Amino acid sequence: MSEDDDQTEAIAARVRDAAAAGTPVAIRGGGSKPFYGHRLDGEALDVSRHRGVLNYEPTELMLTARAGTPLVELEELLAANGQMFAFEPPHFGGGATLGGAVATGLSGPRRPFAGALRDHLLGVRIVDGNGSVGRFGGEVIKNVAGYDVSRLTVGALGTLGVVLEVSVKVLPRPETERTVCLEMAPEEIHGRIEDALRNGAPITGAAHDGDRAWIRLAGATSAVTAGADWLGGDTPTDETFWSRLRDHTMDFFRGDTAEPLWRLSLPPGGRSPDLPGKRVVDWGGQLHWLRSDASAEGIRRETAAIGGHATVFRGGDAATAVFTPLEPALARFHGRLKRAFDPHGVLNPGRMYPEF
Amino acid sequence: MTATTPYHTDDTAFAVQAPRVIERLRAALPERSLVVEEAERRAYESDGLSAFRQLPLVVAIPDTIEQVQAVLATCHDLGVPVVARGSGTSLSGGALPHPQGVLLSLARFNQILELDPERRLARVQPGVRNLAISEAAAAHGLYYAPDPSSQIACSIGGNIAENAGGVHCLKYGLTVHNVLDVTLATIEGDIVTVGSQALDTPGYDLLALMHGSEGMLGVILEATVRLLPEPLTKQVLLAAFDSAATAGNAVAGLIAAGIVPAGLEMMDGPAIKAAEDFVHAGYPTDAAAILICELDGGTEEVVADTARVDALLRDSGATEVRVARDADERARFWAGRKAAFPAAGRISPDYYCMDGTIPRKHLGEVLTRIADMGREHGLGVVNVFHAGDGNLHPLILYDGNTPGELEQAEAFGARILELCVEKGGTITGEHGVGVEKINEMCIQFNDAERETFFAIKRAFDPPGLLNPGKAIPTLNRCAEFGAMHVHHGEVAHPELERY
Ligand SMILES: Cc1cc2nc3c(=O)[nH]c(=O)nc-3n(C[C@H](O)[C@H](O)[C@H](O)COP(=O)(O)OP(=O)(O)OC[C@H]3O[C@@H](n4cnc5c(N)ncnc54)[C@H](O)[C@@H]3O)c2cc1C
């Protein structure tokens, strides 16, 4: 890490100029997730040079790094110290950065069992739309001073601020990890893993690839063994399943199909949305990846009927809202928050919702 | 009792006509839902921070959501401040009434609306007591994880508003990690739900924003919380140390070894003695500090972890490590910790509970400095706290009837908070800012950061009527406070002694 790695001033200056001129910027980290959200027209603001670990103390279970630091680098550092990001952030590409993980707010297969990125976030430093730098949250696990601005930046797709620094809670790596495969329908997973959890099985993944269920256990060896015995099933030979699911490198995600890829986020233990198309299920049934040419309204109506929401994850057309539209009162609060952080509307305008 | 009001003149400049407010509320609420008589309003003049008292203009105790909306509409139309109150156990004055405002009690919203053991969810009204959720879930082998020490009394609405923690936070998270959705009434008359039963929701994370927002963005009407299966096995260890610093380092040692205890609590010598005199838990009263460590999980895992923790604690310098032999002994190990606050109440007429958080590695040093400061202020201090989270709760002992002691206690407390900020921590881990730590917010945040907070406040409460004068200090307040302090704990005249 050199002096050069601290781009705070340069980034803040760019935003100040953009605010003064009223010309939007399109924030870019590693460029691994350009498909996510609406397309942006602004001038590129590259934050990938703003990188480096600022504070990592394994005994504090905490890491602070600049937003442009690649996730792979951080994960290697953590692994060398027997630790990990418990939320298993998807990379979707080699260059994925910590800032991009925060901005997209996505979490991997471990999410239902260990929490999402937002659950492990401790603090951020951001440049708001006026170009002013602020620090919110901190480096300690408990902190209720001021409103929770750090979690507000998670999943905001850069529309509230350019994320400069991120502090996250990290956890010890499990002693043992093991996967079992079971023949069952996606709808049966919830009940089965509930029983297993109540019997002490340390489950950290529960997915369905269209053929069979994959259940991952991780933790103390004794608990993993007991849990795997309780669940039964076969031990698969494929050790890359979870990373291919996380990063969408499975064939299901890669195939060059015309149908867009939908992401359906659902309540626990409900019925599956009745929709045509192929799907891969994650999060114990609470996340459906759906390839379908059904209409956007149809997909959204059916998903909403069971208490969930639907996102066009990849391959949508420009006319379809990427995210489920907000009800009027919530839309009003979103608009006001956007104006509070970015009064000139220069930070990634429209990437999340066309209105802001 | 302080003679001066904690409210700044900026915060009490509302033009309120009391008779009009009461008249409109009378039209909207049944008689039993309105407290107008001064003698009855007294019951609401303070919360858990009894050093501050303030009579509200009037108290409203609605039974229905429509009535809550009518109270908010009245306040909106007439420009009247409104302070929501759950059980009134806040230790930061969060529920302290506003002198010109309505105190809105949610106490009658005390129903568990739905408990779904299959999906492990409970839908509750805001006035439901924290412990009542776990009691109702127990029949299904489930519980609600965040367990503040005040759990028999405090409400889930208050827990969300303060993002309350408990002894099991390190492993199971704070309130924000265990709540799925919150339904709010806004000052503008909307009813909105933030979050959902799914694992994420479109748009900004307003659910997280509501946690710890101290009743300043909306009034919580309902929440869905996540329930967890009771762990199969639990074990509790109690370790004694001959210095608080050694115990502090032992905490860091356990975490470094990859252990994530279900609870890891520390008590210092004075706390041990006070608790032992009170509940006779069998604590080693000659120890300078004890750690109480709870482990949970599968039987074999807990047995293995217990052996590791036992060895690690001894390696870190514990003079004695006891492993509970049975459920009775486990409960006894916890009994002293759980009774520590009332125990402090027995050894001192009053105590003032602080709530800073620091990186764990500074525990030893900070405890030593707190003891030194206590001597400088001529006040005793008892430490009993969430060591695993680095969340300190120094209880400053004072006698409110001795002139000047409360002021000494406040000055001592403020120095502790500044020390926490200096060590890279925060002025509040779980009790909230309220009125109590509002000046210290000027130290932790600069003008631009505080302006961001105000901008968020305006987005949800444009007229600024919800719990005004709390949590976020105005520029004027900080300017006055700043006559003594400057940003980030650098003191204007470090050579001068300050109390
Ligand atoms: C002995 C003792 C031990 C404690 N131990 C802990 C502990 O271990 N951990 C911890 O975190 N806290 C602890 N506390 C502090 C306190 O219990 C918590 O802050 C609790 O969450 C407050 O809940 P309440 O219902 O009493 O809220 P109140 O005191 O009534 O209100 C607190 C805040 O919440 C707001 N509020 C309340 N209800 C609503 C609502 N429905 N909608 C919007 N805003 C609302 C109020 O306006 C106020 O700002 C302790 C307190 C005591 C007295």
Side-chain angles (χ1 to χ4, degrees):
Chain A
M1 195 170 57
S2 69
E3 289 283 296
D4 243 20
D5 296 333
D6 183 359
Q7 297 286 317
T8 305
E9 255 324 299
I11 294 169
R14 271 294 304 280
V15 176
R16 276 194 294 271
D17 291 348
T23 48
V25 296
I27 309 161
R28 188 180 180 281
S32 61
K33 307 174 186 77
F35 55 85
Y36 190 56
H38 289 278
R39 226 178 62 90
L40 275 180
D41 297 323
E43 248 177 77
L45 169 56
D46 187 344
V47 297
S48 62
R49 278 177 55 212
H50 185 65
R51 58 153 72 195
V53 175
L54 298 174
N55 187 11
Y56 173 43
E57 290 177 72
T59 60
E60 298 294 327
L61 298 180
M62 189 283 303
L63 176 143
T64 300
R66 294 205 181 100
T69 320
L71 284 176
V72 259
E73 246 176 74
L74 295 171
E75 284 170 344
E76 273 166 25
L77 174 67
L78 290 171
N81 288 278
Q83 297 187 335
M84 62 175 188
F85 293 130
F87 49 92
E88 216 176 354
H91 292 212
F92 297 130
T97 61
L98 180 60
V102 169
T104 52
L106 298 167
S107 302
R110 198 182 276 270
R111 180 344 167 184
F113 313 97
L117 184 146
R118 61 88 94 163
D119 295 310
H120 295 84
L121 187 73
L122 301 176
V124 293
R125 199 163 156 253
I126 59 169
V127 179
D128 69 16
N130 293 312
S132 108
V133 177
R135 189 186 295 279
F136 301 95
E139 296 192 324
V140 287
I141 294 174
K142 287 163 102 175
N143 188 354
V144 291
Y147 301 123
D148 194 343
V149 173
S150 17
R151 287 196 173 89
L152 210 47
T153 63
V154 176
L157 286 170
T159 57
L160 297 179
V162 185
V163 179
L164 287 178
E165 282 168 27
V166 181
S167 299
V168 272
K169 181 178 169 185
V170 298
L171 281 178
R173 291 179 83 78
E175 188 178 83
T176 313
E177 189 171 295
R178 210 171 128 182
T179 296
V180 296
C181 279
L182 299 161
E183 303 297 328
M184 61 167 75
E187 296 73 40
E188 295 171 75
I189 296 180
H190 174 81
R192 182 69 80 90
I193 62 170
E194 266 308 303
D195 286 347
L197 284 168
R198 289 179 200 214
N199 282 282
I203 295 179
T204 64
H208 198 282
D209 64 7
D211 281 333
R212 51 186 184 158
W214 296 66
I215 315 284
R216 180 175 62 184
L217 302 120
T221 309
S222 58
V224 169
T225 310
D229 290 350
W230 192 92
L231 281 161
D234 312 323
T235 305
T237 48
D238 177 3
E239 288 182 1
T240 61
F241 175 80
W242 298 104
S243 66
R244 289 188 302 122
L245 174 64
R246 184 194 72 182
D247 288 335
H248 287 189
T249 50
M250 286 165 58
D251 288 345
F252 171 85
F253 296 103
R254 305 181 79 143
D256 249 341
T257 61
E259 296 112 35
L261 177 67
W262 284 86
R263 176 186 187 275
L264 316 182
S265 180
L266 307 169
R271 68 170 172 84
S272 280
D274 181 13
L275 292 165
K278 286 205 297 195
R279 65 183 87 183
V280 161
V281 170
D282 195 1
W283 293 2
Q286 288 193 255
L287 185 67
H288 286 220
W289 295 105
L290 176 73
R291 285 246 181 236
S292 177
D293 52 13
S295 74
E297 302 92 84
I299 291 178
R300 292 223 153 101
R301 201 178 326 110
E302 169 64 2
T303 313
I306 53 179
H309 66 96
T311 306
V312 191
F313 202 74
R314 283 179 204 257
D317 56 41
T320 308
V322 169
F323 299 99
T324 297
L326 302 166
E327 58 171 277
L330 285 178
R332 194 168 80 239
F333 296 129
H334 276 72
R336 287 184 188 160
L337 281 173
K338 169 69 176 172
R339 280 192 296 283
F341 280 86
D342 180 19
H344 312 285
V346 294
L347 301 174
N348 283 3
R351 178 150 183 191
M352 190 177 204
Y353 286 97
E355 308 85 67
F356 56 86
Chain B
M1 218 189 295
T2 34
T4 53
T5 162
Y7 286 101
H8 192 272
T9 45
D10 284 356
D11 309 319
T12 50
F14 296 88
V16 173
Q17 295 175 317
R20 281 197 66 198
V21 180
I22 292 168
E23 185 192 338
R24 252 194 75 171
L25 290 175
R26 281 224 162 93
L29 300 181
E31 208 185 308
R32 64 180 203 109
S33 295
L34 215 54
V35 177
V36 181
E37 289 309 314
E38 180 177 330
E40 291 171 55
R41 278 185 286 139
R42 283 260 168 248
Y44 297 89
E45 69 180 353
S46 49
D47 55 19
L49 181 61
S50 54
F52 292 124
R53 281 161 212 273
Q54 176 62 61
L55 272 183
L57 195 66
V58 55
V59 180
I61 319 172
D63 298 86
T64 66
I65 289 178
E66 292 68 33
Q67 290 171 4
V68 172
Q69 284 191 291
V71 171
L72 293 178
T74 302
C75 292
H76 185 258
D77 295 349
L78 303 180
V80 181
V82 53
V83 179
R85 177 179 167 115
S87 304
T89 67
S90 166
L91 291 174
S92 56
L96 184 79
H98 191 281
Q100 302 179 289
V102 176
L103 186 84
L104 174 61
S105 165
L106 283 306
R108 291 194 188 142
F109 288 85
N110 59 1
Q111 298 300 307
I112 296 180
L113 301 171
E114 182 190 352
L115 199 149
D116 183 336
E118 258 78 70
R119 297 168 359 117
R120 282 198 276 112
L121 313 172
R123 222 157 44 77
V124 298
Q125 291 190 319
V128 168
R129 291 174 305 111
N130 172 295
L131 187 62
I133 305 176
S134 288
E135 284 170 351
H140 308 283
L142 302 173
Y143 74 110
Y144 173 63
D147 54 347
S149 312
S150 51
Q151 70 179 151
I152 43 167
C154 63
S155 73
I156 191 73
N159 289 173
I160 293 166
E162 301 283 16
N163 192 15
V167 299
H168 293 105
C169 285
L170 182 59
K171 186 160 178 184
Y172 296 106
L174 304 158
T175 304
V176 69
H177 302 108
N178 289 279
V179 171
L180 298 172
D181 68 37
V182 169
T183 300
L184 305 145
T186 72
I187 193 73
E188 296 176 299
D190 314 280
I191 293 198
V192 294
T193 299
V194 297
S196 75
Q197 293 185 6
L199 290 170
D200 46 39
T201 337
Y204 298 142
D205 195 340
L206 302 186
L207 178 63
L209 186 63
M210 292 306 147
H211 282 83
S213 65
E214 305 197 17
M216 297 171 69
L217 304 180
V219 174
I220 299 161
L221 298 175
E222 193 182 305
T224 305
V225 304
R226 194 165 63 112
L227 304 173
L228 294 183
E230 283 282 1
L232 296 183
T233 336
K234 291 183 189 174
Q235 182 53 285
V236 184
L237 294 91
L238 189 154
F241 294 85
D242 55 18
S243 91
T246 319
N249 295 337
V251 170
L254 286 184
I255 307 290
I259 309 263
V260 181
L264 184 55
E265 299 282 308
M266 181 162 159
M267 297 170 71
D268 70 1
I272 298 167
K273 283 180 206 77
E276 188 54 32
D277 288 346
F278 185 31
V279 293
H280 311 293
Y283 284 177
T285 47
D286 53 346
I290 57 170
L291 287 178
I292 301 167
C293 177
E294 181 167 300
L295 301 165
D296 67 10
T299 317
E300 278 181 66
E301 181 184 353
V302 170
V303 169
D305 281 353
T306 304
R308 275 186 74 200
V309 169
D310 189 339
L312 284 163
L313 289 170
R314 286 176 203 279
D315 287 351
S316 308
T319 51
E320 182 192 356
V321 180
R322 300 183 198 167
V323 179
R325 275 162 306 204
D326 50 31
D328 261 9
E329 192 163 18
R330 285 206 302 275
R332 248 192 332 276
F333 285 180
W334 272 121
R337 165 64 184 93
K338 291 197 168 150
F341 283 32
R346 289 174 78 239
I347 60 169
S348 172
D350 297 287
Y351 67 83
Y352 180 28
C353 174
M354 309 307 297
D355 173 46
T357 303
I358 53 167
R360 280 173 287 254
K361 65 178 172 193
H362 297 307
L363 278 176
E365 183 201 339
V366 167
L367 290 172
T368 310
R369 282 185 56 187
I370 290 175
D372 293 344
M373 286 184 207
R375 276 187 290 278
E376 287 165 33
H377 288 273
L379 294 175
V381 57
V382 166
N383 283 288
V384 35
F385 62 98
H386 312 302
D389 303 317
N391 185 189
L392 303 171
H393 287 328
L395 305 181
I396 300 173
L397 308 179
Y398 72 98
D399 181 350
N401 290 326
T402 306
E405 278 212 357
L406 172 63
E407 289 70 20
Q408 279 295 332
E410 287 180 331
F412 179 11
R415 286 180 70 196
I416 294 176
L417 298 184
E418 285 176 40
L419 177 60
C420 292
V421 176
E422 181 193 314
K423 289 291 160 195
T426 176
I427 58 172
T428 173
E430 58 181 17
H431 294 168
V433 174
V435 286
E436 182 210 6
K437 290 169 281 253
I438 190 159
N439 286 334
E440 283 71 25
M441 285 291 283
C442 308
I443 300 174
Q444 191 164 329
F445 296 97
N446 64 31
D447 291 352
E449 290 159 346
R450 275 181 270 110
E451 179 44 39
T452 300
F453 292 144
F454 277 119
I456 292 172
K457 165 82 170 154
R458 283 193 298 270
F460 289 88
D461 176 19
L465 297 174
L466 293 170
N467 216 359
K470 307 277 177 74
I472 318 295
T474 57
L475 273 176
N476 282 342
R477 184 189 270 276
C478 286
E480 287 157 29
F481 181 67
M484 259 177 72
H485 298 72
V486 293
H487 188 51
H488 275 150
E490 295 152 27
V491 188
H493 296 285
E495 72 281 6
L496 300 180
E497 245 179 343
R498 293 165 314 124
Y499 289 117

Short mmCIF file of all heavy atoms in Angstrom, two decimals, chain A residues 8-28:
data_model
loop_
_atom_site.label_atom_id
_atom_site.label_comp_id
_atom_site.label_asym_id
_atom_site.label_seq_id
_atom_site.Cartn_x
_atom_site.Cartn_y
_atom_site.Cartn_z
N THR A 8 -8.83 9.48 -1.54
CA THR A 8 -9.95 10.20 -0.93
C THR A 8 -10.12 11.59 -1.55
O THR A 8 -11.22 11.96 -1.98
CB THR A 8 -9.73 10.35 0.59
OG1 THR A 8 -9.53 9.06 1.13
CG2 THR A 8 -10.91 11.02 1.25
N GLU A 9 -9.04 12.34 -1.58
CA GLU A 9 -9.14 13.72 -2.04
C GLU A 9 -9.57 13.78 -3.51
O GLU A 9 -10.42 14.58 -3.89
CB GLU A 9 -7.81 14.47 -1.83
CG GLU A 9 -7.88 15.43 -0.67
CD GLU A 9 -9.27 16.11 -0.54
OE1 GLU A 9 -9.67 16.82 -1.49
OE2 GLU A 9 -9.96 15.90 0.48
N ALA A 10 -8.95 12.91 -4.32
CA ALA A 10 -9.28 12.92 -5.74
C ALA A 10 -10.75 12.57 -5.97
O ALA A 10 -11.45 13.23 -6.77
CB ALA A 10 -8.38 11.93 -6.48
N ILE A 11 -11.23 11.57 -5.23
CA ILE A 11 -12.62 11.16 -5.41
C ILE A 11 -13.57 12.27 -4.95
O ILE A 11 -14.53 12.63 -5.64
CB ILE A 11 -12.89 9.83 -4.66
CG1 ILE A 11 -12.09 8.68 -5.29
CG2 ILE A 11 -14.38 9.51 -4.67
CD1 ILE A 11 -12.08 7.40 -4.49
N ALA A 12 -13.27 12.83 -3.78
CA ALA A 12 -14.14 13.89 -3.26
C ALA A 12 -14.14 15.08 -4.22
O ALA A 12 -15.20 15.69 -4.47
CB ALA A 12 -13.67 14.32 -1.87
N ALA A 13 -12.98 15.40 -4.78
CA ALA A 13 -12.90 16.54 -5.71
C ALA A 13 -13.74 16.27 -6.96
O ALA A 13 -14.44 17.16 -7.46
CB ALA A 13 -11.44 16.80 -6.08
N ARG A 14 -13.66 15.02 -7.45
CA ARG A 14 -14.47 14.66 -8.63
C ARG A 14 -15.96 14.87 -8.35
O ARG A 14 -16.70 15.41 -9.18
CB ARG A 14 -14.24 13.18 -9.01
CG ARG A 14 -13.10 12.94 -9.98
CD ARG A 14 -13.32 13.51 -11.38
NE ARG A 14 -14.54 13.05 -12.04
CZ ARG A 14 -14.68 11.88 -12.66
NH1 ARG A 14 -13.67 11.04 -12.71
NH2 ARG A 14 -15.82 11.55 -13.22
N VAL A 15 -16.38 14.44 -7.15
CA VAL A 15 -17.80 14.58 -6.83
C VAL A 15 -18.17 16.06 -6.67
O VAL A 15 -19.22 16.50 -7.13
CB VAL A 15 -18.16 13.77 -5.56
CG1 VAL A 15 -19.61 14.00 -5.17
CG2 VAL A 15 -17.91 12.29 -5.78
N ARG A 16 -17.29 16.83 -6.06
CA ARG A 16 -17.57 18.27 -5.91
C ARG A 16 -17.73 18.94 -7.28
O ARG A 16 -18.64 19.72 -7.51
CB ARG A 16 -16.46 18.96 -5.10
CG ARG A 16 -16.66 18.83 -3.59
CD ARG A 16 -15.76 19.80 -2.83
NE ARG A 16 -14.35 19.47 -2.98
CZ ARG A 16 -13.70 18.62 -2.16
NH1 ARG A 16 -14.34 18.03 -1.16
NH2 ARG A 16 -12.42 18.36 -2.34
N ASP A 17 -16.82 18.59 -8.19
CA ASP A 17 -16.91 19.14 -9.55
C ASP A 17 -18.21 18.73 -10.21
O ASP A 17 -18.90 19.55 -10.85
CB ASP A 17 -15.74 18.66 -10.41
CG ASP A 17 -14.42 19.26 -9.95
OD1 ASP A 17 -14.46 20.20 -9.12
OD2 ASP A 17 -13.35 18.76 -10.39
N ALA A 18 -18.54 17.45 -10.06
CA ALA A 18 -19.76 16.95 -10.68
C ALA A 18 -20.97 17.68 -10.11
O ALA A 18 -21.89 18.07 -10.85
CB ALA A 18 -19.89 15.44 -10.45
N ALA A 19 -20.96 17.91 -8.80
CA ALA A 19 -22.08 18.60 -8.16
C ALA A 19 -22.18 20.03 -8.67
O ALA A 19 -23.28 20.53 -8.96
CB ALA A 19 -21.91 18.58 -6.64
N ALA A 20 -21.02 20.67 -8.81
CA ALA A 20 -21.03 22.06 -9.27
C ALA A 20 -21.54 22.15 -10.71
O ALA A 20 -22.31 23.05 -11.06
CB ALA A 20 -19.62 22.65 -9.17
N ALA A 21 -21.14 21.19 -11.54
CA ALA A 21 -21.53 21.22 -12.95
C ALA A 21 -22.88 20.56 -13.19
O ALA A 21 -23.45 20.69 -14.27
CB ALA A 21 -20.45 20.53 -13.78
N GLY A 22 -23.35 19.82 -12.18
CA GLY A 22 -24.60 19.09 -12.35
C GLY A 22 -24.50 17.94 -13.34
O GLY A 22 -25.48 17.55 -13.95
N THR A 23 -23.30 17.38 -13.49
CA THR A 23 -23.13 16.24 -14.41
C THR A 23 -22.92 14.96 -13.61
O THR A 23 -22.00 14.88 -12.81
CB THR A 23 -21.90 16.44 -15.32
OG1 THR A 23 -20.81 16.83 -14.49
CG2 THR A 23 -22.14 17.48 -16.38
N PRO A 24 -23.78 13.97 -13.83
CA PRO A 24 -23.71 12.74 -13.04
C PRO A 24 -22.42 11.96 -13.24
O PRO A 24 -21.79 12.04 -14.30
CB PRO A 24 -24.89 11.92 -13.56
CG PRO A 24 -25.74 12.85 -14.33
CD PRO A 24 -24.88 13.98 -14.79
N VAL A 25 -22.03 11.21 -12.20
CA VAL A 25 -20.93 10.26 -12.33
C VAL A 25 -21.47 8.84 -12.20
O VAL A 25 -22.48 8.61 -11.56
CB VAL A 25 -19.84 10.49 -11.25
CG1 VAL A 25 -19.18 11.84 -11.41
CG2 VAL A 25 -20.40 10.32 -9.84
N ALA A 26 -20.78 7.92 -12.86
CA ALA A 26 -21.11 6.50 -12.76
C ALA A 26 -19.96 5.83 -12.01
O ALA A 26 -18.86 5.70 -12.53
CB ALA A 26 -21.26 5.89 -14.15
N ILE A 27 -20.23 5.47 -10.75
CA ILE A 27 -19.16 4.94 -9.89
C ILE A 27 -18.83 3.52 -10.32
O ILE A 27 -19.71 2.70 -10.55
CB ILE A 27 -19.60 4.95 -8.42
CG1 ILE A 27 -20.14 6.33 -8.04
CG2 ILE A 27 -18.45 4.55 -7.50
CD1 ILE A 27 -20.99 6.33 -6.78
N ARG A 28 -17.53 3.22 -10.38
CA ARG A 28 -17.11 1.91 -10.83
C ARG A 28 -16.02 1.39 -9.89
O ARG A 28 -15.06 2.08 -9.60
CB ARG A 28 -16.54 2.03 -12.24
CG ARG A 28 -16.23 0.71 -12.91
CD ARG A 28 -15.68 0.98 -14.32
NE ARG A 28 -15.37 -0.25 -15.02
CZ ARG A 28 -14.28 -0.97 -14.80
NH1 ARG A 28 -13.40 -0.59 -13.91
NH2 ARG A 28 -14.07 -2.10 -15.48
#
